[in-house]
Amino acid sequence: MTHNELKAIVAAELKKRTPLSDIQNILAEQHKYKMTFLDLRILASELEEVIESMAGEDRAAEELKGG
């Protein structure tokens, strides 16, 4: 698995708000890729633009509900 493939899988799971421990299990079970929790946490922090966009979407949804 390439680093870009790994990032794509983790980003997709983060968008679904999958907990990191569950992502770690998905990587091990479905993709046969073992990764320490710390390494996964570091990778997730590199993908913070995904998290920021999720927060922006949440704010937009709240504005629509409230407005």
Side-chain angles (χ1 to χ4, degrees), residues 22-35:
D22 290 349
I23 295 173
Q24 187 180 29
N25 290 334
I26 290 167
L27 290 172
E29 294 169 7
Q30 295 178 10
H31 302 283
K32 307 297 184 231
Y33 189 88
K34 291 189 178 184
M35 180 176 223

Side-chain angles (χ1 to χ4, degrees), residues 17 50-60:
R17 300 188 186 278
V50 172
I51 296 167
E52 289 174 9
S53 73
M54 288 184 339
E57 291 169 7
D58 288 348
R59 283 191 297 271

Side-chain angles (χ1 to χ4, degrees), residues 11-14 17 19 22 27 36 48 54 60-62 67:
E13 292 299 327
L14 288 173
R17 300 188 186 278
D22 290 349
L27 290 172
T36 66
E48 73 181 10
M54 288 184 339
E62 286 299 318

Side-chain angles (χ1 to χ4, degrees), residues 5 7 10 16 19 23 35 38 43 46 48-49 52 56:
E5 291 170 331
K7 287 173 76 172
V10 172
K16 293 190 267 184
I23 295 173
M35 180 176 223
L38 179 58
L43 177 59
E46 291 174 6
E48 73 181 10
E49 67 271 3
E52 289 174 9

